[in-house]
Each structure stands twice: as structure tokens, then as C-alpha cells.
Amino acid sequence: MGSAALVSVQDYLRRTEKPNAEYIDGVVHPKPMPTMPHSLIQAMLILLLGKQGVRALPELTVRLSETKFLVPDIVVARSIDTPYPTKPVELCVEILSPDNRLGAMLQKCEQYHDWGVPYCWVIDPDKRTAWQYHSGREPERVDTLRAGELRVDLAELFSELPPQDAKPS
């Protein structure tokens, strides 16, 4: 087994290749390429959360520490302190891609909680399910996602997805 080449923070922040990547202790971890359902859910969430008076930003790199940068699918904040936020945001959202596993995304939520983020959502567009994971509590599967005053009904969130029985073209 080979080891991953270490990359400096400066080199990581200059990256331009896709997919987006996260950075942990000198190692770059590419994120899976988003699918159409993933992108639709991301767009719907930005719209639905924006109507509630918050900034919902896609793929914003956040700096949890000097050597840890993660890229939530959506970050929700009333204000952003720097190009790569160093202060915890209100909500981080992860949308599962086919290569993602729920357990890994919940572990990522724990990293957000350790940073100080009070709310985290994990959404599975293929199964049309979602979990909210509030700091200090256990993750729970819900029909309406909540984060403080924010609310998103799953029926409305999934309304733009093609019917589940539709065959891909």
C-alpha cells in the first residue's frame, strides 16, 4: 500500500480541479461527483432556506482548524466571516451521492458539531429520506427537517425530483 502525498494548505487552496475536495492533515480527499438528484436537492434547499431569511451557500469550504478544511454541500449562516469561514455556521447539510454512506456522513456531522455547528442535516435523494443531527443528540430520521427556526418539509424538498418509478433516459 502506498501513502498519500502530503499537500500544503496553500497548494490545497489553489486547487482548481473537480470534483471539489476536502483537506485533512495534509491529505486531499476528493468528494464524489454530484448526480442530478443531488444537484436538484441542493438547488431546492438553497431556494427554500433563502425564503426563510438566511444565506444558504453551496460547496463553501470551511476551515475547522489550521489543517482541516471540509466542504459541506450547503452551509447556512446569517453572515460569513472570511472566504473560508473559521467561525461555526448555523447549519451544515450533506446530500448523499451514490458513493456516500450514511454512517460516514453522520461522522462528518460529528466533526461539524465538534467545531461548534449546532445543526446538521443528511439527505438521501435516492431513498427520499433525511436525518437531522442536532449537537448533543442522536441523529433522527424525520419528515420535516428543523434547525432552530428553519424548517424544510421533505415532500416539498423532493417535489422537483422525477417520480421514483421513472426510468432513466
Side-chain angles (χ1 to χ4, degrees):
M1 265 208 259
S3 61
L6 294 181
V7 174
S8 71
V9 168
Q10 295 77 17
D11 286 342
Y12 164 71
L13 293 174
R14 283 193 288 262
R15 286 176 50 95
T16 59
E17 59 269 13
K18 297 293 179 192
N20 210 338
E22 298 177 319
Y23 179 87
I24 300 172
D25 300 326
V27 179
V28 175
H29 301 272
K31 291 181 64 170
M33 284 294 238
T35 60
M36 185 272 297
H38 181 285
S39 294
L40 281 173
I41 293 302
Q42 198 170 34
M44 282 295 291
L45 270 176
I46 291 167
L47 177 73
L48 294 170
L49 290 167
K51 288 179 179 179
Q52 297 179 55
V54 294
R55 279 197 174 165
L57 304 171
E59 306 295 328
L60 178 64
T61 301
V62 296
R63 189 179 87 188
L64 279 62
S65 73
E66 293 294 323
T67 62
K68 184 183 286 186
F69 292 76
L70 298 180
V71 185
D73 290 315
I74 295 177
V75 167
V76 175
R78 302 221 182 261
S79 66
I80 300 293
D81 65 338
T82 65
Y84 307 106
T86 58
K87 295 178 185 166
V89 297
E90 292 179 47
L91 168 67
C92 289
V93 180
E94 293 293 342
I95 304 166
L96 296 181
S97 293
D99 292 341
N100 292 135
R101 297 290 168 258
L102 176 61
M105 290 301 104
L106 292 174
Q107 285 179 333
K108 197 170 170 184
C109 289
E110 289 174 13
Q111 294 178 60
Y112 297 137
H113 292 324
D114 289 344
W115 182 44
V117 174
Y119 306 106
C120 195
W121 297 344
V122 178
I123 300 166
D124 186 337
D126 292 334
K127 294 182 181 172
R128 299 182 190 205
T129 55
W131 293 261
Q132 61 188 23
Y133 190 5
H134 298 176
S135 184
R137 295 187 182 166
E138 292 295 316
E140 61 180 321
R141 190 171 160 181
V142 295
D143 292 325
T144 300
L145 290 161
R146 292 177 169 77
E149 299 298 316
L150 301 174
R151 305 276 184 275
V152 173
D153 179 70
L154 293 190
E156 185 175 12
L157 178 62
F158 296 135
S159 68
E160 294 296 315
L161 292 178
Q164 285 185 302
D165 56 355
K167 298 198 188 291
S169 47

